[in-house]
Amino acid sequence: MITTRYKAKQIYLFFFIGLILTACGRNKKVDVSNINLDVTIERFDHDFDAMRTGRMNQQAVFLHNKYGAFYQDFIERVLQAGSTRDTAYFKTLHEVFKGKAYNDLKHDVEAVYPNMDKQNAELTEAFKYIKYYYPKKRIPKVYAYLSGFQAQTSIGDGYFAIGLDLFLGANSRFYPSITSAFPHYLSRHFTPDNITPRVVEGIAREDMFPEDDNDKSLLSKMVYNGKIMYFMDRILPDVGDTTKISYTATQLKWCNDFESKIWGYFLEENLLYETDYPKIQKYLTEAPFTPGLGERNESAPKLAVYTGWQIVRAYMDKHPEVTLPQLMADKDAQKILNQSKYKPK
């Protein structure tokens, strides 16, 4: 996932028939029909574009009042146009609006997203699930904007923003020219169907359950990521596993086919308690494949994330009395591994 947290530092989707009964229990839907919640994605991109044709100073006041912290973050951190306390940044905005790049991007975004009715409905449903499990959770305002190909999602004070320019569809004309930042193995997932999963994942990772900096072992990172993926299982019961973990169908099948060998590799190489991040990084981060595993580079990436997901699923299957909040609050990765009795065949 490509995301930005403006309040802190810049940071950065076929199970076999034999697993169907387990998966059904795992993804069993809870009833959220009585939760009164309606999510509407505010089109900041439209309101911002109004500065192009209207009185810029008046529209700036409107944007300040409507979007609060996000407007300041957008001007100062995304556009890097200067401080919003000084109207000198208007000169930069005039240059942006005159540019062909802005107008071409605006055209394509509008073609893909003339409205966001589908995404509004999906996010409403997802946030209802979050409210079911976490009734006191404050739901952020959700904004759509043009990130200038900087971030798919941005999180800040009371808001969660979606960079529509990184959800234009895998065949967008823009993506071949930004392969240095977003190679094809990333941009093939830049589709409208990925918006809601990436919002849910971003809220989980950056807002609700940030990773403890003290958890340095591969096992702790494995289980942490597994809990995030399991959270997505429960919040997005109708979303496929490939979308949740950003795999292709072939990659997920490879993991399923070689699950026991993947686990055996981690054990044989004594990697579970390894804390040297450069040594374990390749099992946690996005990549076209995992170096050193599989023939002809057909292995899936993020094998520690996939394995942690299966460990947490096994743990929760064996402990149906454990609630989702209890799982997410449990910091004992070793206990979760032990009690999962994870032994893939």
Side-chain angles (χ1 to χ4, degrees):
M1 184 182 65
I2 305 98
T3 186
T4 302
R5 187 177 184 92
Y6 289 129
K7 296 300 288 184
K9 57 186 178 180
Q10 196 159 18
I11 56 173
Y12 49 52
L13 286 148
F14 321 103
F15 274 112
F16 299 121
I17 296 204
L19 295 177
I20 286 178
L21 292 177
T22 299
C24 287
R26 177 185 307 131
N27 293 330
K28 183 179 179 181
K29 292 184 183 181
V30 296
D31 184 6
V32 297
S33 61
N34 64 338
I35 296 176
N36 186 20
L37 182 67
D38 186 28
V39 176
T40 300
I41 302 170
E42 298 287 348
R43 293 297 296 264
F44 176 85
D45 58 320
H46 288 173
D47 289 337
F48 176 69
D49 189 62
M51 298 181 87
R52 180 174 55 89
T53 54
R55 292 188 174 181
M56 192 168 283
N57 58 339
Q58 291 182 355
Q59 190 65 9
V61 172
F62 169 78
L63 292 170
H64 261 299
N65 292 336
K66 182 174 181 179
Y67 294 99
F70 176 68
Y71 180 67
Q72 181 177 350
D73 290 339
F74 178 76
I75 295 297
E76 296 180 1
R77 297 175 182 268
V78 177
L79 291 184
Q80 299 182 18
S83 172
T84 56
R85 293 184 294 273
D86 182 351
T87 57
Y89 75 90
F90 285 180
K91 180 179 179 181
T92 300
L93 298 190
H94 283 298
E95 294 301 316
V96 168
F97 291 135
K98 287 192 301 183
K100 185 175 185 299
Y102 170 79
N103 286 283
D104 285 350
L105 183 57
K106 180 171 68 73
H107 173 274
D108 284 24
V109 168
E110 196 60 32
V112 177
Y113 298 103
N115 63 67
M116 302 200 72
D117 295 347
K118 182 175 183 290
Q119 288 75 29
N120 287 336
E122 290 174 350
L123 281 175
T124 294
E125 188 77 357
F127 284 177
K128 283 183 176 182
Y129 278 98
I130 292 176
K131 272 290 192 182
Y132 176 89
Y133 293 108
Y134 294 86
K136 295 182 180 179
K137 170 62 185 169
R138 180 187 173 203
I139 300 301
K141 296 283 188 180
V142 183
Y143 306 140
Y145 76 118
L146 307 186
S147 79
F149 304 110
Q150 290 192 41
Q152 281 191 315
T153 58
S154 306
I155 188 167
D157 186 8
Y159 72 77
F160 198 98
I162 302 163
L164 295 181
D165 45 339
L166 290 174
F167 290 102
L168 290 176
N171 296 321
S172 169
R173 60 173 166 157
F174 296 108
Y175 298 156
S177 64
I178 57 172
T179 52
S180 59
F182 303 112
H184 178 66
Y185 66 83
L186 291 177
S187 64
R188 66 189 175 200
H189 301 292
F190 290 178
T191 63
D193 288 343
N194 271 281
I195 286 182
T196 296
R198 301 290 70 82
V199 171
V200 170
E201 184 178 7
I203 288 175
R205 290 186 181 276
E206 301 306 318
D207 178 25
M208 298 179 71
F209 319 109
E211 187 174 12
D212 190 334
D213 290 337
N214 293 319
D215 291 340
K216 299 186 182 299
S217 72
L218 182 62
L219 176 61
S220 64
K221 293 181 179 298
M222 212 178 251
V223 172
Y224 167 77
N225 281 280
K227 292 195 298 182
I228 295 295
M229 299 308 301
Y230 188 83
F231 179 83
M232 295 178 71
D233 281 341
R234 299 293 279 271
I235 303 305
L236 301 168
D238 295 322
V239 172
D241 286 354
T242 52
T243 303
K244 281 179 282 192
I245 197 171
S246 294
Y247 275 175
T248 65
T250 300
Q251 288 173 332
L252 184 57
K253 184 178 186 303
W254 187 90
C255 285
N256 290 336
D257 287 345
F258 295 101
E259 184 178 354
S260 63
K261 289 182 169 56
I262 296 167
W263 182 238
Y265 176 83
F266 286 132
L267 296 179
E268 291 164 8
E269 297 296 318
N270 297 313
L271 289 169
L272 291 190
Y273 306 103
E274 179 61 62
T275 58
D276 182 5
Y277 189 70
K279 190 172 181 179
I280 62 178
Q281 180 181 16
K282 67 180 180 179
Y283 308 113
L284 294 160
T285 55
E286 299 284 358
F289 56 88
T290 299
L293 288 176
E295 300 176 1
R296 299 182 300 279
N297 296 333
E298 85 278 23
S299 61
K302 301 187 297 185
L303 296 181
V305 178
Y306 169 85
T307 301
W309 194 9
Q310 310 319 310
I311 290 170
V312 173
R313 282 175 162 179
Y315 172 77
M316 292 299 282
D317 288 343
K318 285 183 171 56
H319 297 277
E321 76 283 0
V322 175
T323 67
L324 182 62
Q326 288 171 338
L327 168 70
M328 301 308 294
D330 193 336
K331 305 297 185 182
D332 195 336
Q334 187 67 58
K335 184 199 80 174
I336 290 173
L337 172 61
N338 292 346
Q339 295 188 9
S340 73
K341 301 189 185 303
Y342 180 67
K343 288 186 178 181
K345 298 179 180 179

